[in-house]
Amino acid sequence: MDSNYPGFLIVLEGLDGSGTTTQSGLLARYLREEGYSVVELEEPGGTELGRQVREILLEDRGVGIEPLSELFLYEVSRAQMVREKVIPGLKKGKVIISDRFAVSSVAYQGYGRGIPIDRVKSLNEIAVGGLEPDITFYLDIDLHEREKRSAGKRPDRIEKEKQDFYRRVREGYLAEIKALSDSVLIDGSSSKKEVSRKIIERVEEEIVDPG
Ligand SMILES: Nc1ncnc2c1ncn2[C@@H]1O[C@H](COP(=O)(O)OP(=O)(O)O)[C@@H](O)[C@H]1O
Ligand SMILES: [Mg+2]
């Protein structure tokens, strides 16, 4: 366990459509059945303030949002969630599952939007205050699979971005995940069940009974 808290922090990362929300739900259900006390969070969101920020970020109301402003908004949501939900939960020994976390900003606002990577990381550091996930899963899908899964769905403000944006985000994810300790790359294009099985297998290996 990385943090000095009795709980366990699991992060799911990936392109939109990679299955982070699906897998967060499946993992939470499994762990609850195993008797763990689980908190499911998402970014942006996870708190009331975060949900309000999420609306600004994802609803396309035609309001101009500069890349740097976008980054700050994500950090607002993150800073609030870490202090209001993540740390208190970890102190109580809960298993926290976060659908996206700091690496998302490196991939999307850094590699995707072009903000210098070290700047994104400095702001992440301020927002999370040194907290590191115990394990980060990156669900890798290619751009074709992403397009397929988003077909027929109303895209949010970020999802309206072009293939080229997502190509940079994926490259960013692949580079960052390789360099990140306690990270696991999973082929997100296999079936939901298969992805879930791989995640659960790894969590079972890593988790220290927080009860
Ligand atoms: N492994 C998978 N195989 C096929 N379709 C999937 C898989 N995982 C998720 N999906 C589908 O892809 C879409 C996006 O999944 P979702 O979990 O919302 O992704 P994300 O939260 O990463 O954007 C949903 O329609 C979901 O049912
Ligand atoms: Mg999702």
Side-chain angles (χ1 to χ4, degrees):
M1 190 173 312
D2 287 334
S3 58
N4 298 314
Y5 304 114
F8 199 80
L9 175 58
I10 302 167
V11 169
L12 295 162
E13 291 280 359
L15 296 183
D16 300 292
S18 63
T20 61
T21 303
T22 302
Q23 294 302 328
S24 171
L26 292 173
L27 179 60
R29 194 174 71 188
Y30 172 83
L31 290 171
R32 285 190 181 114
E33 280 168 6
E34 292 293 299
Y36 291 97
S37 176
V38 179
V39 180
E40 282 174 89
L41 301 173
E42 67 174 352
E43 280 202 354
T47 65
E48 190 44 47
L49 177 67
R51 278 184 282 279
Q52 292 186 28
V53 172
R54 183 181 179 90
E55 277 185 31
I56 297 171
L57 278 165
L58 300 183
E59 296 284 319
D60 195 352
R61 299 199 181 99
V63 177
I65 303 181
E66 286 292 317
L68 186 62
S69 314
E70 182 178 285
L71 173 61
F72 274 114
L73 285 167
Y74 277 101
E75 301 297 1
V76 166
S77 171
R78 187 165 297 139
Q80 186 70 24
M81 189 177 93
V82 164
R83 287 157 187 79
E84 188 182 317
K85 297 283 167 97
V86 180
I87 292 174
L90 290 174
K91 281 184 177 165
K92 287 185 194 143
K94 292 177 193 279
V95 180
I96 314 269
I97 304 173
S98 189
D99 178 352
R100 302 190 168 287
F101 199 52
V103 182
S104 280
S105 281
V106 179
Y108 279 79
Q109 282 69 52
Y111 290 86
R113 299 283 192 221
I115 297 173
I117 303 305
D118 55 343
R119 255 187 241 175
V120 178
K121 289 185 176 174
S122 316
L123 287 181
N124 276 346
E125 178 57 30
I126 293 169
V128 308
L131 181 73
E132 281 178 19
D134 293 284
I135 192 158
T136 300
F137 292 98
Y138 166 61
L139 312 182
D140 187 49
I141 55 167
D142 62 23
L143 302 188
H144 176 70
E145 187 67 23
R146 193 198 75 78
E147 286 256 281
K148 237 172 59 187
R149 291 190 192 173
S150 63
K153 297 208 174 88
R154 191 177 66 93
D156 65 33
R157 193 183 60 86
I158 305 274
E159 289 165 350
K160 283 180 185 166
E161 286 299 330
K162 306 271 175 294
Q163 283 289 73
D164 208 47
F165 174 81
Y166 277 104
R167 187 184 49 72
R168 292 195 301 277
V169 174
R170 183 177 182 224
E171 276 169 14
Y173 263 132
L174 289 168
E176 291 298 318
I177 286 295
K178 209 187 258 179
L180 185 72
S181 58
D182 305 310
S183 67
V184 183
L185 185 148
I186 287 183
D187 179 4
S189 60
S190 6
S191 71
K192 291 180 191 179
K193 210 171 151 188
E194 179 63 11
V195 173
S196 177
R197 194 188 61 72
K198 286 183 184 153
I199 292 174
I200 286 168
E201 193 178 275
R202 189 58 190 256
V203 167
E204 278 190 324
E205 276 171 30
E206 301 278 327
I207 206 161
V208 179
D209 190 345

